Amino acid sequence: MGGSATRSAAREVILTLVVAAILIAAMPLLIGTYTLTVLVIYGMLGLSLGLIWGFGGILCFGQAAFFGLGAYIYAISAVNIGESTLPMILAVLLTAGFALLLGAMMFYGRLTDVYLGVITLVVTLILFKFINSTAGPQYVIGEARLGGFNGIPGFQTLNVPGDPGAYIWGDALYYVCAVALVIVFLLVTWLLRSSFGRIAVGIRENETRMALMGYDVAARKTVLFAIGAAIAGLAGALFASWAEIVTPTLFSLGQSAEIIIWCIVGGLGTRLGPVVGAAGLAYLEFVLGQQSMIDNTLIMGLVLVIFVLFLPRGLVPAIASLWQGSVGAFGRRRPVRRMRRARHG
């Protein structure tokens, strides 16, 4: 049984790597790498919420807070350090640490889903208001001025570790971000296949039953919450390096809502769904941004309503069900044809 599961996991990893390699190589032929880079980053951000909401049952309206924190921590650290490797690590670790403290207060406080959503939303709005109010010269961390609504420009972007002069930008940045997304995707897959991941899904299905079985539900939800925040922090740091500026709009309510829409449209409870939803809707928004006749917000709202009404499980589960149905129907037809041939000799 264990050997079969191991072989199945190995096949899935190989398939993931092969498909990812083909997509990474082929997509620049269709879309510019500058746009592809941000789509990949948004895919990673969508995956971070898909992990904690789709598999942990934790509806978080504050994923934009972790995204923005990762970006600001990277920018502030890069200004002071003058190199990107340590700031990238700090963006992940400090964002995870912040989420760990916030999650411990919420989950050990036994807050229900509604209050979890409200608190994470309020934290996002607090950070948004605070960062907007830091325009004065007194708001300085080391050599980095927070800049208020103007944000922080002019920091060290991603470079080869140990060589601040060797910048990673353009096509190279796209490939780095794409590889990072694949690695994060495989780590999430490994986490969900582990006992921790299976228990997290059990908590999502029936939290009381898992608690009665002796599992520390609050601790496991806190850790999962922090892991999702760490992924969002990494996405934020990569976004900062791509945009070369960070502003308070990263913490905006609109950003928080978009991440939730990505997960719903792509398909909750799947690993690929939030990635596809994020990249697809972000590209749709990019295309619509080139015209001024229709408001983007109206289109995004319409897409959400259509999916909730007609594809409530999301795009990826719907495609998977359609594929399985067609393959199953094809498999059923083949034995019937063989029986007919046997009867007619």
Side-chain angles (χ1 to χ4, degrees), residues 205-274:
E205 296 299 323
N206 195 321
E207 186 173 327
T208 304
R209 178 178 294 178
M210 298 304 290
L212 291 174
M213 291 174 66
Y215 294 109
D216 190 340
V217 171
R220 292 176 181 276
K221 291 177 77 172
T222 301
V223 172
L224 187 66
F225 189 67
I227 292 172
I231 298 173
L234 175 60
L238 292 172
F239 181 86
S241 185
W242 171 81
E244 300 182 12
I245 185 173
V246 294
T247 62
T249 54
L250 296 172
F251 299 99
S252 67
L253 183 60
Q255 182 73 68
S256 298
E258 278 191 10
I259 303 170
I260 293 173
I261 293 173
W262 295 343
C263 292
I264 293 174
V265 170
L268 271 179
T270 65
R271 291 159 293 152
L272 189 60

Short mmCIF file of all heavy atoms in Angstrom, two decimals, residues 205-274:
data_model
loop_
_atom_site.label_atom_id
_atom_site.label_comp_id
_atom_site.label_asym_id
_atom_site.label_seq_id
_atom_site.Cartn_x
_atom_site.Cartn_y
_atom_site.Cartn_z
N GLU A 205 -13.31 19.43 7.42
CA GLU A 205 -14.57 18.71 7.29
C GLU A 205 -15.35 18.66 8.60
O GLU A 205 -16.57 18.84 8.61
CB GLU A 205 -14.29 17.28 6.80
CG GLU A 205 -13.70 17.20 5.42
CD GLU A 205 -14.61 17.79 4.37
OE1 GLU A 205 -15.84 17.61 4.47
OE2 GLU A 205 -14.11 18.46 3.44
N ASN A 206 -14.66 18.41 9.71
CA ASN A 206 -15.35 18.31 11.01
C ASN A 206 -14.35 18.63 12.12
O ASN A 206 -13.63 17.77 12.60
CB ASN A 206 -15.94 16.91 11.20
CG ASN A 206 -16.96 16.89 12.33
OD1 ASN A 206 -16.78 17.52 13.36
ND2 ASN A 206 -18.03 16.12 12.14
N GLU A 207 -14.31 19.90 12.50
CA GLU A 207 -13.34 20.36 13.50
C GLU A 207 -13.58 19.71 14.86
O GLU A 207 -12.63 19.32 15.54
CB GLU A 207 -13.43 21.88 13.61
CG GLU A 207 -12.38 22.49 14.51
CD GLU A 207 -12.41 24.00 14.45
OE1 GLU A 207 -12.71 24.56 13.38
OE2 GLU A 207 -12.11 24.63 15.48
N THR A 208 -14.83 19.56 15.26
CA THR A 208 -15.15 18.99 16.57
C THR A 208 -14.69 17.54 16.66
O THR A 208 -14.10 17.12 17.67
CB THR A 208 -16.66 19.08 16.84
OG1 THR A 208 -17.08 20.44 16.72
CG2 THR A 208 -16.99 18.55 18.23
N ARG A 209 -14.94 16.78 15.61
CA ARG A 209 -14.54 15.36 15.62
C ARG A 209 -13.02 15.23 15.74
O ARG A 209 -12.52 14.39 16.49
CB ARG A 209 -15.03 14.68 14.36
CG ARG A 209 -14.62 13.21 14.26
CD ARG A 209 -15.16 12.58 13.00
NE ARG A 209 -16.61 12.51 13.02
CZ ARG A 209 -17.34 12.03 12.02
NH1 ARG A 209 -16.73 11.59 10.91
NH2 ARG A 209 -18.66 11.99 12.09
N MET A 210 -12.27 16.06 15.01
CA MET A 210 -10.81 15.99 15.08
C MET A 210 -10.30 16.37 16.46
O MET A 210 -9.32 15.80 16.96
CB MET A 210 -10.19 16.90 14.01
CG MET A 210 -10.55 16.53 12.59
SD MET A 210 -10.12 14.82 12.14
CE MET A 210 -8.33 14.93 12.10
N ALA A 211 -10.96 17.33 17.10
CA ALA A 211 -10.58 17.71 18.46
C ALA A 211 -10.85 16.57 19.44
O ALA A 211 -10.03 16.30 20.34
CB ALA A 211 -11.33 18.97 18.88
N LEU A 212 -11.97 15.88 19.27
CA LEU A 212 -12.31 14.76 20.15
C LEU A 212 -11.36 13.58 19.94
O LEU A 212 -11.18 12.75 20.83
CB LEU A 212 -13.75 14.32 19.90
CG LEU A 212 -14.83 15.31 20.34
CD1 LEU A 212 -16.21 14.83 19.91
CD2 LEU A 212 -14.79 15.51 21.86
N MET A 213 -10.75 13.49 18.76
CA MET A 213 -9.77 12.43 18.49
C MET A 213 -8.40 12.74 19.10
O MET A 213 -7.49 11.91 19.01
CB MET A 213 -9.64 12.22 16.98
CG MET A 213 -10.88 11.62 16.34
SD MET A 213 -10.76 11.54 14.53
CE MET A 213 -9.43 10.36 14.31
N GLY A 214 -8.27 13.93 19.69
CA GLY A 214 -7.04 14.25 20.41
C GLY A 214 -6.09 15.18 19.69
O GLY A 214 -4.99 15.45 20.19
N TYR A 215 -6.47 15.69 18.52
CA TYR A 215 -5.59 16.60 17.78
C TYR A 215 -5.74 18.03 18.30
O TYR A 215 -6.86 18.46 18.63
CB TYR A 215 -5.92 16.56 16.28
CG TYR A 215 -5.62 15.23 15.64
CD1 TYR A 215 -6.66 14.39 15.23
CD2 TYR A 215 -4.31 14.81 15.44
CE1 TYR A 215 -6.41 13.18 14.63
CE2 TYR A 215 -4.05 13.58 14.84
CZ TYR A 215 -5.09 12.78 14.45
OH TYR A 215 -4.83 11.56 13.87
N ASP A 216 -4.63 18.74 18.35
CA ASP A 216 -4.65 20.16 18.75
C ASP A 216 -5.05 20.98 17.53
O ASP A 216 -4.20 21.37 16.71
CB ASP A 216 -3.26 20.58 19.27
CG ASP A 216 -3.29 21.96 19.92
OD1 ASP A 216 -4.24 22.73 19.64
OD2 ASP A 216 -2.37 22.28 20.69
N VAL A 217 -6.33 21.22 17.43
CA VAL A 217 -6.87 21.88 16.23
C VAL A 217 -6.32 23.29 16.09
O VAL A 217 -5.91 23.72 15.00
CB VAL A 217 -8.41 21.91 16.30
CG1 VAL A 217 -8.98 22.78 15.19
CG2 VAL A 217 -8.97 20.49 16.20
N ALA A 218 -6.27 24.04 17.19
CA ALA A 218 -5.81 25.43 17.13
C ALA A 218 -4.37 25.52 16.66
O ALA A 218 -4.02 26.38 15.84
CB ALA A 218 -5.98 26.09 18.50
N ALA A 219 -3.51 24.63 17.16
CA ALA A 219 -2.09 24.66 16.77
C ALA A 219 -1.93 24.35 15.29
O ALA A 219 -1.15 25.02 14.59
CB ALA A 219 -1.31 23.65 17.60
N ARG A 220 -2.65 23.36 14.80
CA ARG A 220 -2.52 22.98 13.39
C ARG A 220 -3.07 24.05 12.46
O ARG A 220 -2.50 24.32 11.41
CB ARG A 220 -3.20 21.63 13.15
CG ARG A 220 -2.47 20.49 13.86
CD ARG A 220 -3.18 19.16 13.70
NE ARG A 220 -2.46 18.11 14.41
CZ ARG A 220 -1.43 17.42 13.92
NH1 ARG A 220 -1.01 17.68 12.69
NH2 ARG A 220 -0.84 16.50 14.63
N LYS A 221 -4.17 24.68 12.84
CA LYS A 221 -4.70 25.76 12.02
C LYS A 221 -3.76 26.97 12.02
O LYS A 221 -3.59 27.64 11.00
CB LYS A 221 -6.09 26.17 12.54
CG LYS A 221 -7.15 25.11 12.31
CD LYS A 221 -8.49 25.50 12.89
CE LYS A 221 -9.20 26.50 12.05
NZ LYS A 221 -10.59 26.74 12.52
N THR A 222 -3.12 27.22 13.17
CA THR A 222 -2.17 28.33 13.26
C THR A 222 -0.97 28.10 12.35
O THR A 222 -0.53 29.01 11.62
CB THR A 222 -1.69 28.51 14.72
OG1 THR A 222 -2.82 28.77 15.56
CG2 THR A 222 -0.71 29.66 14.82
N VAL A 223 -0.44 26.88 12.36
CA VAL A 223 0.71 26.56 11.51
C VAL A 223 0.33 26.65 10.03
O VAL A 223 1.08 27.21 9.22
CB VAL A 223 1.26 25.17 11.86
CG1 VAL A 223 2.32 24.74 10.85
CG2 VAL A 223 1.84 25.16 13.27
N LEU A 224 -0.82 26.12 9.67
CA LEU A 224 -1.27 26.18 8.28
C LEU A 224 -1.47 27.63 7.84
O LEU A 224 -1.10 28.01 6.72
CB LEU A 224 -2.57 25.39 8.11
CG LEU A 224 -3.07 25.23 6.67
CD1 LEU A 224 -2.12 24.36 5.86
CD2 LEU A 224 -4.47 24.63 6.65
N PHE A 225 -2.03 28.43 8.73
CA PHE A 225 -2.24 29.85 8.47
C PHE A 225 -0.91 30.55 8.20
O PHE A 225 -0.78 31.36 7.27
CB PHE A 225 -2.96 30.47 9.67
CG PHE A 225 -3.44 31.88 9.47
CD1 PHE A 225 -4.46 32.15 8.58
CD2 PHE A 225 -2.90 32.93 10.19
CE1 PHE A 225 -4.92 33.45 8.40
CE2 PHE A 225 -3.35 34.22 10.03
CZ PHE A 225 -4.36 34.49 9.12
N ALA A 226 0.10 30.21 9.01
CA ALA A 226 1.43 30.82 8.85
C ALA A 226 2.10 30.37 7.55
O ALA A 226 2.79 31.16 6.89
CB ALA A 226 2.31 30.47 10.05
N ILE A 227 1.90 29.11 7.17
CA ILE A 227 2.49 28.61 5.91
C ILE A 227 1.88 29.35 4.72
O ILE A 227 2.59 29.77 3.79
CB ILE A 227 2.27 27.09 5.79
CG1 ILE A 227 3.10 26.35 6.85
CG2 ILE A 227 2.66 26.60 4.38
CD1 ILE A 227 2.81 24.87 6.92
N GLY A 228 0.55 29.52 4.74
CA GLY A 228 -0.10 30.28 3.67
C GLY A 228 0.40 31.72 3.61
O GLY A 228 0.61 32.27 2.53
N ALA A 229 0.62 32.32 4.78
CA ALA A 229 1.13 33.69 4.82
C ALA A 229 2.56 33.76 4.29
O ALA A 229 2.94 34.73 3.62
CB ALA A 229 1.08 34.21 6.26
N ALA A 230 3.37 32.74 4.59
CA ALA A 230 4.75 32.72 4.09
C ALA A 230 4.78 32.69 2.56
O ALA A 230 5.59 33.39 1.93
CB ALA A 230 5.49 31.51 4.66
N ILE A 231 3.89 31.90 1.96
CA ILE A 231 3.82 31.84 0.49
C ILE A 231 3.39 33.20 -0.06
O ILE A 231 3.94 33.69 -1.05
CB ILE A 231 2.84 30.74 0.05
CG1 ILE A 231 3.34 29.37 0.52
CG2 ILE A 231 2.66 30.75 -1.46
CD1 ILE A 231 2.35 28.24 0.28
N ALA A 232 2.41 33.84 0.61
CA ALA A 232 1.98 35.17 0.17
C ALA A 232 3.10 36.18 0.34
O ALA A 232 3.27 37.08 -0.50
CB ALA A 232 0.75 35.61 0.97
N GLY A 233 3.90 36.07 1.41
CA GLY A 233 5.03 36.96 1.62
C GLY A 233 6.08 36.81 0.53
O GLY A 233 6.65 37.80 0.05
N LEU A 234 6.34 35.56 0.12
CA LEU A 234 7.27 35.31 -0.98
C LEU A 234 6.75 35.94 -2.27
O LEU A 234 7.51 36.58 -3.02
CB LEU A 234 7.48 33.81 -1.17
CG LEU A 234 8.34 33.38 -2.36
CD1 LEU A 234 9.74 33.96 -2.27
CD2 LEU A 234 8.40 31.85 -2.46
N ALA A 235 5.45 35.78 -2.52
CA ALA A 235 4.85 36.40 -3.71
C ALA A 235 4.98 37.92 -3.66
O ALA A 235 5.27 38.56 -4.67
CB ALA A 235 3.38 35.98 -3.83
N GLY A 236 4.78 38.49 -2.46
CA GLY A 236 4.91 39.93 -2.32
C GLY A 236 6.32 40.42 -2.59
O GLY A 236 6.53 41.45 -3.23
N ALA A 237 7.32 39.68 -2.10
CA ALA A 237 8.72 40.06 -2.33
C ALA A 237 9.07 39.99 -3.81
O ALA A 237 9.75 40.87 -4.35
CB ALA A 237 9.63 39.15 -1.52
N LEU A 238 8.60 38.94 -4.49
CA LEU A 238 8.84 38.83 -5.93
C LEU A 238 8.13 39.93 -6.71
O LEU A 238 8.66 40.47 -7.69
CB LEU A 238 8.40 37.45 -6.43
CG LEU A 238 9.22 36.26 -5.93
CD1 LEU A 238 8.56 34.94 -6.34
CD2 LEU A 238 10.65 36.31 -6.47
N PHE A 239 6.93 40.28 -6.24
CA PHE A 239 6.19 41.37 -6.89
C PHE A 239 6.94 42.69 -6.74
O PHE A 239 7.01 43.49 -7.68
CB PHE A 239 4.79 41.49 -6.29
CG PHE A 239 3.95 42.57 -6.91
CD1 PHE A 239 3.21 42.32 -8.05
CD2 PHE A 239 3.92 43.85 -6.36
CE1 PHE A 239 2.44 43.32 -8.63
CE2 PHE A 239 3.17 44.86 -6.94
CZ PHE A 239 2.42 44.59 -8.08
N ALA A 240 7.48 42.93 -5.55
CA ALA A 240 8.24 44.16 -5.32
C ALA A 240 9.43 44.24 -6.26
O ALA A 240 9.74 45.30 -6.82
CB ALA A 240 8.70 44.22 -3.86
N SER A 241 10.11 43.12 -6.46
CA SER A 241 11.26 43.09 -7.35
C SER A 241 10.83 43.30 -8.80
O SER A 241 11.55 43.93 -9.58
CB SER A 241 12.00 41.75 -7.21
OG SER A 241 13.17 41.74 -7.98
N TRP A 242 9.65 42.80 -9.16
CA TRP A 242 9.14 42.97 -10.52
C TRP A 242 8.70 44.42 -10.76
O TRP A 242 9.05 45.03 -11.77
CB TRP A 242 7.96 42.03 -10.75
CG TRP A 242 7.21 42.27 -12.02
CD1 TRP A 242 7.54 41.84 -13.27
CD2 TRP A 242 5.98 43.02 -12.17
NE1 TRP A 242 6.60 42.26 -14.18
CE2 TRP A 242 5.64 42.99 -13.55
CE3 TRP A 242 5.16 43.70 -11.29
CZ2 TRP A 242 4.50 43.61 -14.03
CZ3 TRP A 242 4.03 44.33 -11.78
CH2 TRP A 242 3.70 44.27 -13.15
N ALA A 243 7.95 45.00 -9.82
CA ALA A 243 7.40 46.33 -10.00
C ALA A 243 8.42 47.43 -9.73
O ALA A 243 8.27 48.56 -10.21
CB ALA A 243 6.20 46.53 -9.08
N GLU A 244 9.45 47.13 -8.93
CA GLU A 244 10.50 48.08 -8.54
C GLU A 244 9.95 49.23 -7.71
O GLU A 244 10.59 50.28 -7.59
CB GLU A 244 11.25 48.60 -9.77
CG GLU A 244 11.92 47.48 -10.56
CD GLU A 244 12.71 47.99 -11.76
OE1 GLU A 244 12.93 49.22 -11.83
OE2 GLU A 244 13.11 47.16 -12.60
N ILE A 245 8.76 49.06 -7.14
CA ILE A 245 8.17 50.03 -6.23
C ILE A 245 7.08 49.31 -5.44
O ILE A 245 6.44 48.38 -5.96
CB ILE A 245 7.57 51.25 -6.98
CG1 ILE A 245 7.08 52.30 -5.98
CG2 ILE A 245 6.46 50.82 -7.92
CD1 ILE A 245 6.64 53.60 -6.64
N VAL A 246 6.91 49.70 -4.18
CA VAL A 246 5.80 49.16 -3.37
C VAL A 246 4.97 50.34 -2.86
O VAL A 246 5.52 51.36 -2.46
CB VAL A 246 6.31 48.30 -2.19
CG1 VAL A 246 6.98 47.05 -2.68
CG2 VAL A 246 7.26 49.08 -1.29
N THR A 247 3.65 50.19 -2.92
CA THR A 247 2.73 51.24 -2.49
C THR A 247 1.64 50.65 -1.60
O THR A 247 1.45 49.43 -1.58
CB THR A 247 2.08 51.92 -3.71
OG1 THR A 247 1.31 50.93 -4.43
CG2 THR A 247 3.12 52.51 -4.65
N PRO A 248 0.90 51.50 -0.88
CA PRO A 248 -0.16 50.98 0.01
C PRO A 248 -1.29 50.25 -0.70
O PRO A 248 -2.07 49.55 -0.05
CB PRO A 248 -0.68 52.26 0.69
CG PRO A 248 0.44 53.22 0.62
CD PRO A 248 1.12 52.93 -0.69
N THR A 249 -1.41 50.39 -2.03
CA THR A 249 -2.48 49.70 -2.74
C THR A 249 -2.35 48.17 -2.62
O THR A 249 -3.34 47.46 -2.85
CB THR A 249 -2.48 50.08 -4.24
OG1 THR A 249 -1.17 49.83 -4.78
CG2 THR A 249 -2.82 51.54 -4.42
N LEU A 250 -1.17 47.69 -2.26
CA LEU A 250 -1.00 46.26 -2.04
C LEU A 250 -1.88 45.75 -0.90
O LEU A 250 -2.22 44.57 -0.85
CB LEU A 250 0.47 45.94 -1.75
CG LEU A 250 1.47 46.22 -2.88
CD1 LEU A 250 2.90 46.03 -2.38
CD2 LEU A 250 1.20 45.31 -4.06
N PHE A 251 -2.22 46.65 0.04
CA PHE A 251 -3.05 46.29 1.19
C PHE A 251 -4.53 46.60 0.97
O PHE A 251 -5.32 46.49 1.90
CB PHE A 251 -2.59 47.05 2.44
CG PHE A 251 -1.18 46.77 2.87
CD1 PHE A 251 -0.16 47.63 2.53
CD2 PHE A 251 -0.89 45.64 3.62
CE1 PHE A 251 1.14 47.38 2.94
CE2 PHE A 251 0.41 45.38 4.02
CZ PHE A 251 1.43 46.25 3.68
N SER A 252 -4.89 47.03 -0.21
CA SER A 252 -6.24 47.56 -0.44
C SER A 252 -7.31 46.47 -0.33
O SER A 252 -7.04 45.27 -0.50
CB SER A 252 -6.33 48.22 -1.81
OG SER A 252 -6.19 47.26 -2.83
N LEU A 253 -8.52 46.93 -0.06
CA LEU A 253 -9.67 46.02 0.02
C LEU A 253 -9.93 45.34 -1.32
O LEU A 253 -10.30 44.17 -1.38
CB LEU A 253 -10.90 46.79 0.48
CG LEU A 253 -12.19 45.99 0.69
CD1 LEU A 253 -11.98 44.93 1.76
CD2 LEU A 253 -13.34 46.92 1.07
N GLY A 254 -9.71 46.08 -2.41
CA GLY A 254 -9.89 45.50 -3.73
C GLY A 254 -8.95 44.34 -3.99
O GLY A 254 -9.34 43.33 -4.59
N GLN A 255 -7.70 44.46 -3.53
CA GLN A 255 -6.74 43.37 -3.69
C GLN A 255 -7.19 42.14 -2.92
O GLN A 255 -7.10 41.01 -3.42
CB GLN A 255 -5.37 43.83 -3.19
CG GLN A 255 -4.25 42.81 -3.34
CD GLN A 255 -3.81 42.64 -4.78
OE1 GLN A 255 -3.22 43.53 -5.39
NE2 GLN A 255 -4.09 41.48 -5.34
N SER A 256 -7.68 42.34 -1.69
CA SER A 256 -8.17 41.21 -0.88
C SER A 256 -9.33 40.51 -1.56
O SER A 256 -9.39 39.26 -1.59
CB SER A 256 -8.60 41.71 0.51
OG SER A 256 -7.53 42.27 1.22
N ALA A 257 -10.26 41.29 -2.11
CA ALA A 257 -11.42 40.70 -2.78
C ALA A 257 -11.01 39.93 -4.02
O ALA A 257 -11.57 38.85 -4.30
CB ALA A 257 -12.41 41.80 -3.13
N GLU A 258 -10.05 40.45 -4.77
CA GLU A 258 -9.62 39.78 -6.00
C GLU A 258 -9.05 38.40 -5.71
O GLU A 258 -9.30 37.44 -6.45
CB GLU A 258 -8.58 40.63 -6.72
CG GLU A 258 -9.17 41.73 -7.58
CD GLU A 258 -8.13 42.37 -8.48
OE1 GLU A 258 -7.01 41.83 -8.56
OE2 GLU A 258 -8.43 43.41 -9.08
N ILE A 259 -8.28 38.28 -4.64
CA ILE A 259 -7.67 36.98 -4.30
C ILE A 259 -8.75 35.95 -4.01
O ILE A 259 -8.66 34.79 -4.43
CB ILE A 259 -6.70 37.13 -3.10
CG1 ILE A 259 -5.64 38.17 -3.41
CG2 ILE A 259 -6.03 35.80 -2.78
CD1 ILE A 259 -4.80 38.57 -2.20
N ILE A 260 -9.79 36.37 -3.31
CA ILE A 260 -10.90 35.46 -3.00
C ILE A 260 -11.61 35.05 -4.29
O ILE A 260 -11.97 33.88 -4.48
CB ILE A 260 -11.87 36.12 -2.01
CG1 ILE A 260 -11.18 36.30 -0.65
CG2 ILE A 260 -13.15 35.31 -1.85
CD1 ILE A 260 -11.98 37.10 0.35
N ILE A 261 -11.82 36.01 -5.19
CA ILE A 261 -12.48 35.70 -6.47
C ILE A 261 -11.64 34.72 -7.28
O ILE A 261 -12.18 33.79 -7.90
CB ILE A 261 -12.73 37.00 -7.26
CG1 ILE A 261 -13.76 37.87 -6.54
CG2 ILE A 261 -13.20 36.70 -8.68
CD1 ILE A 261 -13.94 39.25 -7.15
N TRP A 262 -10.32 34.89 -7.28
CA TRP A 262 -9.44 33.97 -8.00
C TRP A 262 -9.68 32.53 -7.55
O TRP A 262 -9.79 31.62 -8.37
CB TRP A 262 -7.97 34.31 -7.76
CG TRP A 262 -7.52 35.63 -8.30
CD1 TRP A 262 -8.16 36.39 -9.25
CD2 TRP A 262 -6.35 36.35 -7.91
NE1 TRP A 262 -7.44 37.54 -9.47
CE2 TRP A 262 -6.33 37.55 -8.69
CE3 TRP A 262 -5.32 36.11 -7.01
CZ2 TRP A 262 -5.31 38.49 -8.56
CZ3 TRP A 262 -4.29 37.04 -6.89
CH2 TRP A 262 -4.29 38.22 -7.66
N CYS A 263 -9.75 32.34 -6.23
CA CYS A 263 -9.89 30.98 -5.68
C CYS A 263 -11.26 30.39 -6.02
O CYS A 263 -11.37 29.20 -6.35
CB CYS A 263 -9.69 31.01 -4.16
SG CYS A 263 -7.99 31.38 -3.66
N ILE A 264 -12.30 31.21 -5.94
CA ILE A 264 -13.65 30.72 -6.23
C ILE A 264 -13.77 30.33 -7.70
O ILE A 264 -14.31 29.27 -8.04
CB ILE A 264 -14.70 31.79 -5.86
CG1 ILE A 264 -14.73 32.00 -4.35
CG2 ILE A 264 -16.08 31.38 -6.36
CD1 ILE A 264 -15.63 33.14 -3.91
N VAL A 265 -13.27 31.17 -8.58
CA VAL A 265 -13.38 30.90 -10.02
C VAL A 265 -12.51 29.71 -10.41
O VAL A 265 -12.93 28.83 -11.16
CB VAL A 265 -12.98 32.15 -10.83
CG1 VAL A 265 -12.85 31.82 -12.31
CG2 VAL A 265 -14.00 33.27 -10.63
N GLY A 266 -11.28 29.65 -9.89
CA GLY A 266 -10.39 28.54 -10.24
C GLY A 266 -10.84 27.21 -9.68
O GLY A 266 -10.75 26.18 -10.35
N GLY A 267 -11.35 27.23 -8.45
CA GLY A 267 -11.82 25.98 -7.83
C GLY A 267 -11.20 25.77 -6.46
O GLY A 267 -10.02 25.44 -6.35
N LEU A 268 -12.00 25.94 -5.42
CA LEU A 268 -11.53 25.69 -4.06
C LEU A 268 -11.33 24.20 -3.83
O LEU A 268 -12.01 23.37 -4.43
CB LEU A 268 -12.54 26.23 -3.04
CG LEU A 268 -12.37 27.69 -2.59
CD1 LEU A 268 -13.48 28.04 -1.61
CD2 LEU A 268 -11.01 27.91 -1.96
N GLY A 269 -10.42 23.87 -2.94
CA GLY A 269 -10.16 22.48 -2.64
C GLY A 269 -9.28 21.79 -3.66
O GLY A 269 -9.12 20.57 -3.62
N THR A 270 -8.71 22.55 -4.58
CA THR A 270 -7.74 22.02 -5.54
C THR A 270 -6.46 22.84 -5.44
O THR A 270 -6.49 24.01 -5.06
CB THR A 270 -8.27 22.08 -6.99
OG1 THR A 270 -8.43 23.47 -7.37
CG2 THR A 270 -9.61 21.37 -7.11
N ARG A 271 -5.35 22.23 -5.83
CA ARG A 271 -4.09 22.98 -5.80
C ARG A 271 -3.94 23.84 -7.04
O ARG A 271 -3.43 24.96 -6.99
CB ARG A 271 -2.91 22.00 -5.71
CG ARG A 271 -2.79 21.28 -4.37
CD ARG A 271 -1.97 20.02 -4.51
NE ARG A 271 -2.66 19.04 -5.34
CZ ARG A 271 -2.05 18.12 -6.08
NH1 ARG A 271 -0.73 18.07 -6.10
NH2 ARG A 271 -2.75 17.27 -6.79
N LEU A 272 -4.39 23.33 -8.17
CA LEU A 272 -4.21 24.03 -9.44
C LEU A 272 -5.23 25.14 -9.64
O LEU A 272 -4.94 26.15 -10.29
CB LEU A 272 -4.28 23.03 -10.58
CG LEU A 272 -3.91 23.53 -11.98
CD1 LEU A 272 -2.48 24.05 -11.99
CD2 LEU A 272 -4.10 22.42 -13.00
N GLY A 273 -6.42 24.97 -9.08
CA GLY A 273 -7.51 25.91 -9.30
C GLY A 273 -7.18 27.36 -8.98
O GLY A 273 -7.34 28.24 -9.85
N PRO A 274 -6.70 27.67 -7.77
CA PRO A 274 -6.37 29.07 -7.46
C PRO A 274 -5.28 29.65 -8.35
O PRO A 274 -5.30 30.84 -8.66
CB PRO A 274 -5.91 28.99 -6.00
CG PRO A 274 -6.58 27.78 -5.45
CD PRO A 274 -6.63 26.80 -6.59
#
